[in-house]
Structures are given as C-alpha cells and as structure tokens.
C-alpha cells in the first residue's frame, strides 16, 4: 500500500513538474520507476521561450522533451525543439523539410546523393509529436544507420516516385495544415539555425581545428608545375580524410589571382603553378560550414604581393575586430570601406563582396550598404577581403565565432602557419595568416 501511494505521489509530482517547467527526477530515476510513459505525455510546454536563444540548453530541466527523442543526438534534439516552438508560435501544425541546410540543421544527416542538388531523396516531417525521415527504399538503410541516427525512417518504393513518398507524407499530415521550409517559415528557420547552441559550438570548434589543419596540409603539399585541378584534388583529399566535404573550392595560380576573384580550378596549358598559389575553400561537416583561404609562394615573395597582402591582413583585422554584438551589416560594410580607403585601396570594395554571417550556408547574409542585419553573440562569421594588384592578387579569410560575452575567437587557425600580429587603426592587434614561403 505504501509503495502504491509513493508511486501515485511520484506521478502527481511529475505531472505538476512537467506543466510548470521543472524536472524533479533525473531520467534514470524516471525510467527505473516505470513512469516513462507519463513523462512522454508532457512534452515540455515550458519551452516556448529561452532567455538566450544562442544558448539553448539540453539538460535535466528539459528531460520531458528528450525522452520522446531517445537515440537522437542532443545537438539535434535542441534544434527540433526550437523548430517545434517556432511552429507553435506561428500556428504551423506540420513542417516538411526539403532543403539541404535545414535538413542538416535538424538531423546532421546528408539528404542528397549528387552534391549539386539543393534537395535530395530524403525529407523530414516534423510535428509536435514526431520527427520522421521520409525517403526511398534505396536510401532507407543509410538514413537509418548512418546519416540520421535515432530518427524514425519511413521508406517509399522508388517505383512510382514521387507519388509513393507523397502518400507517406499525406498519411503523416493526416488532414492537418502543412508548410515546407521554403514557405512562410523559411526566414525564421534560417534565423534559428545560425543561433549556435553549446553542442553546435563544440562541433564548430572541432570542424575549425580540422579544416585549419587540412588546408595547411594541402598548401604544404602543392608543387611548382601542379595544375589548379591537381591542387584542388590535393585539397579535397586533405579535407575528405577528416570527414569534411568541400562545398566550394577556388584555386588560382600567379597572375590569375589578380583578375579572377572566384577562380574555379582549371586544367591544361597555362594553369601550371609557377610561383604563387591561392586556395580558397568552404568545407562542411554535418551541415556546419567553415570558410578559409591561404597563399603559398615558392621563393622570395614579390614586392607587390608583399605590399597588398600586408594591406589585406590589416583590412581583415579591422573587420574581424569590429564584429561585435549590435553592429549592423551597413556599419560593418563601411568599416571595410574605410579600411581599404585609408590604405589607398578604396576601389577594392567594388571588386568583391566581403563576407558576413556563416553557419549552415556558406553565407547566410553578406554585409552590404544599407544592410539591416545585426551582429549577435553566439553566431559565426567569415570575412574575406581581397586585393587585386597589377600582376598578382591576394585574400585573407578565416571563420570566427562571437562568444556570449562579445569576444571573438578564430575557429580555423592553421597549425605552424606563419602569422603576423597586425595593428588596427585604433591600436588593437590581431594575428593574421601570412604567406607560406616554400
């Protein structure tokens, strides 16, 4: 009798706790007492607003929400909860995720087969109760055991597509309203995915460390006579062996660096490396993207390259140190304009965009005149000042993270790379990557 009264009391306490946003029992205790089903029935109504969306926590206080998603990484549980809260606030009953960045953000999985596609043969259905990957019988096992661990996966016969997948989605929707991530929620989902949680930041730091090492390894491996395509292949190999997909690679040799700002690699006569190689990249792992560029020179650095790279590093330091919470895209654009102009290179702002917010896209926005976007803590940014000289060009680029206290850290440092402590106009100092001389 006493044990039954205790159990009943526990049930009542748990119900009240769930409704009030509290967690009285750790998950292990709840599971041992056999009341997981009740915990599942109260799916965190208290999660309608976080005090700081850039630091959404998954811990004991949101255990009610986690139990329904056992087996899914806490990083993606956080994201699903955030998406559900947005849906609730916007009156959206069902969400169908079709775009690669949103799918990555919610699952960490690759939904595509050919990398050139904006979407692929896997979609994610989300409502307040379920998060289900809907795909074809060709992809089902891969999605279940490799790409989207912990998620329920429903498979459609490939013969009869797209009708076979549509039928599964129709069954999941069950007559309710449904929106895709290309409809009214698109911009708000984009805002959610760039607010990085603690788990996101840990993943970003690990990616930044690996990608900085990968590009340094690639740069040290190139040789005089290599074609731009060969350099691209070397870079791919260095990234891929660390589990990083190159979603953008630009390679230019010598004079081409001065006249091609997005130099897709080429093959054939005239593409061979003579003295200077620039490699610019965007690398992705589980959806998160880092951007960085490096230059290599064989022999003494030409005088023009030395001059313009020094200026480029200074512009890079100015914009990175100006990336503080509250600054607008317009203000940062004019920081860059001033940095170029003060050093005698004002025309360079017109030759190429200068970067902006990064995350699950190579750039979620770029700084432009009149831009209303605002720098926020808990987000990542990548600036990419470039200068074209008469005979050579250069670029300075890394990915940074703005911490909650407003401080900035570089995520993509390359080990043992030559660095220069660059002074800004207001006397501050930032270390920037120099040219590697071989």
């Amino acid at each position: 009798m006493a044990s039954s009264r205790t159990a009943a009391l526990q049930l009542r306490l748990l119900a009240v706790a769930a409704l009030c946003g509290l967690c009285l029992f750790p998950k292990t205790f709840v599971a041992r007492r056999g009341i997981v089903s009740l915990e599942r029935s109260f799916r965190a109504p208290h999660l309608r607003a976080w005090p700081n969306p850039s630091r959404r926590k998954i811990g004991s206080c949101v255990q009610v929400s986690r139990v329904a998603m056992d087996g899914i990484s806490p990083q993606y549980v956080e994201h699903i909860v955030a998406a559900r809260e947005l849906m609730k606030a916007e009156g959206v009953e069902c969400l169908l995720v079709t775009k690669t960045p949103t799918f990555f953000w919610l699952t960490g999985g690759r939904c595509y087969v050919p990398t050139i596609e904006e979407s692929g043969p896997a979609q994610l259905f989300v409502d307040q109760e379920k998060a289900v990957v809907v795909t074809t019988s060709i992809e089902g096992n891969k999605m279940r055991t490799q790409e989207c661990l912990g998620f329920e996966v429903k498979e459609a016969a490939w013969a009869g597509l797209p009708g076979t997948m549509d039928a599964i989605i129709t069954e999941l929707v069950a007559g309710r309203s449904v929106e895709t991530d290309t409809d009214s929620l698109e911009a708000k989902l984009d805002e959610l995915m760039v607010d990085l949680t603690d788990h996101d930041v840990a993943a970003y730091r690990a990616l930044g460390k690996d990608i900085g090492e990968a590009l340094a390894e690639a740069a040290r491996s190139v040789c005089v006579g290599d074609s731009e395509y060969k350099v691209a292949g070397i870079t791919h190999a260095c990234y891929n062996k660390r589990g990083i997909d190159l979603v953008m690679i630009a390679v230019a040799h010598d004079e081409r660096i001065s006249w091609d700002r997005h130099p897709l690699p080429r093959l054939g006569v005239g593409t061979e490396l003579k003295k200077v190689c620039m490699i610019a990249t965007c690398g992705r792992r589980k959806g998160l993207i880092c951007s960085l560029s490096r230059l290599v020179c064989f022999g003494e650095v030409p005088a023009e390259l030395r001059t313009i790279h020094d200026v480029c590093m200074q512009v890079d330091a100015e914009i990175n140190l100006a990336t503080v919470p509250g600054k607008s895209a317009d203000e940062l654009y004019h920081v860059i304009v001033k940095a170029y102009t003060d050093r005698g290179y004002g025309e360079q702002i017109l030759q190429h965009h200068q970067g902006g917010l990064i995350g699950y896209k190579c750039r979620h926005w770029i700084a432009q005149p009149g831009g209303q976007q605002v720098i926020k803590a808990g987000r990542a940014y990548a600036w990419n000042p470039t200068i074209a000289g008469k005979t050579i060009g250069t670029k300075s680029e890394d990915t940074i993270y703005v911490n909650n206290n407003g401080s900035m850290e570089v995520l993509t440092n390359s080990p043992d790379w030559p660095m220069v402590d660059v002074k800004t106009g207001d006397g501050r100092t930032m270390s920037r990557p120099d040219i590697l001389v071989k």
Side-chain angles (χ1 to χ4, degrees):
M1 178 70 71
S3 62
S4 64
R5 283 198 301 270
T6 300
L9 177 59
Q10 290 170 350
L11 288 171
R12 287 195 294 273
L13 286 172
L14 182 59
V16 171
L19 290 170
C20 295
L22 303 173
C23 183
L24 300 183
F25 310 114
K27 181 179 175 183
T28 52
F29 182 88
V30 171
R32 258 199 321 272
R33 291 295 185 262
I35 50 179
V36 171
S37 59
L38 178 64
E39 192 183 21
R40 282 197 178 109
S41 70
F42 293 93
R43 286 189 171 85
H46 58 291
L47 290 176
R48 290 188 182 142
W50 276 292
N52 184 348
S54 69
R55 275 291 179 274
R56 294 187 295 271
K57 301 277 189 181
I58 279 289
S60 60
C61 65
V62 292
Q63 204 67 61
V64 173
S65 179
R66 289 188 65 182
V67 172
M69 294 183 277
D70 277 349
I72 299 175
S73 165
Q75 182 178 0
Y76 307 113
V77 171
E78 290 176 313
H79 299 171
I80 293 167
V81 170
R84 283 175 171 162
E85 292 305 311
L86 173 63
M87 291 165 61
K88 190 182 299 182
E90 298 294 320
V92 173
E93 293 180 290
C94 305
L95 173 66
L96 185 62
V97 173
T98 63
K99 294 174 64 178
T100 296
T102 321
F103 191 94
F104 263 128
W105 177 62
L106 288 171
T107 70
R110 293 170 288 188
C111 63
Y112 52 80
V113 179
T115 57
I116 61 170
E117 294 183 353
E118 195 171 297
S119 58
Q123 301 176 354
L124 182 70
F125 171 86
V126 181
D127 64 10
Q128 295 300 324
E129 301 292 326
K130 300 179 291 297
V132 182
V133 174
V134 182
T135 188
T136 70
S137 55
I138 304 171
E139 313 299 332
N141 182 66
K142 177 182 68 181
M143 303 309 292
R144 187 178 293 109
T145 63
Q146 299 168 41
E147 297 295 331
C148 302
L149 299 179
F151 283 84
E152 179 184 356
V153 177
K154 289 185 177 290
E155 301 178 25
W158 68 264
L161 288 172
T164 50
M165 278 186 66
D166 290 345
I168 293 175
I169 292 166
T170 298
E171 181 181 355
L172 289 167
V173 171
R176 295 171 290 172
S177 62
V178 60
E179 295 214 21
T180 73
D181 53 342
T182 62
D183 294 330
S184 65
L185 294 185
E186 181 176 10
K188 292 179 179 179
L189 285 167
D190 208 60
E191 276 289 296
L192 280 181
M193 72 176 69
V194 295
D195 280 331
L196 303 173
T197 65
D198 288 339
H199 291 105
D200 294 328
V201 175
Y204 232 147
R205 286 177 174 142
L207 171 61
K209 175 180 179 295
D210 287 349
I211 207 169
E213 292 174 355
L215 189 50
E217 180 184 342
R220 289 190 173 95
S221 301
V222 304
C223 297
V224 170
D226 286 347
S227 71
E228 292 167 352
Y229 252 122
K230 182 174 180 180
V231 172
I234 291 168
T235 309
H236 269 283
C238 292
Y239 280 49
N240 290 168
K241 74 180 185 180
R242 293 170 171 86
I244 303 168
D245 291 321
L246 268 172
V247 293
M248 193 289 294
I249 178 160
V251 179
H253 293 159
D254 304 301
E255 297 86 354
R256 188 184 181 209
I257 308 172
S258 69
W259 52 262
D260 198 336
R261 298 303 176 94
H262 284 154
L264 298 178
R266 304 171 302 163
L267 183 67
V269 177
T271 71
E272 300 89 355
L273 171 59
K274 297 189 287 289
K275 189 172 182 65
V276 182
C277 172
M278 183 190 76
I279 311 173
T281 67
C282 294
R284 178 170 65 191
R285 186 165 64 194
K286 289 189 172 295
L288 289 169
I289 297 173
C290 280
S291 288
L292 69 164
S293 300
R294 299 289 185 265
L295 266 77
V296 183
C297 181
F298 290 80
E300 185 178 354
V301 176
E304 183 182 34
L305 178 57
R306 181 69 274 161
T307 297
I308 63 174
H309 193 71
D310 286 347
V311 171
C312 204
M313 289 189 295
Q314 292 165 19
V315 175
D316 199 18
E318 293 278 5
I319 185 59
N320 277 292
L321 291 174
T323 306
V324 296
K327 288 273 190 179
S328 71
D330 175 75
E331 289 177 292
L332 291 172
Y333 172 82
H334 285 97
V335 166
I336 303 171
V337 170
K338 185 176 187 303
Y340 279 126
T341 303
D342 287 351
R343 293 162 177 85
Y345 290 86
E347 77 285 351
Q348 296 298 318
I349 190 70
L350 303 175
Q351 305 303 317
H352 193 279
H353 79 75
Q354 304 297 304
L357 179 66
I358 194 171
Y360 285 83
K361 299 178 183 178
C362 293
R363 297 294 188 273
H364 288 265
W365 55 256
I366 59 175
Q368 299 199 49
Q372 298 301 305
Q373 302 94 338
V374 175
I375 299 297
K376 296 181 181 179
R379 294 184 173 188
Y381 300 86
W383 304 105
N384 48 266
T386 65
I387 296 179
K390 293 179 179 178
T391 63
I392 197 70
T394 191
K395 186 175 188 178
S396 185
E397 179 182 27
D398 273 299
T399 299
I400 64 170
Y401 172 68
V402 178
N403 287 285
N404 265 15
N405 63 6
S407 65
M408 177 271 292
E409 66 177 282
V410 177
L411 297 176
T412 50
N413 286 316
S414 294
D416 302 320
W417 194 269
M419 304 294 289
V420 177
D421 289 335
V422 177
K423 280 194 175 182
T424 61
D426 60 1
R428 292 182 294 171
T429 301
M430 181 180 182
S431 187
R432 301 310 302 127
D434 202 359
I435 301 162
L436 175 68
V437 178
K438 294 182 69 175

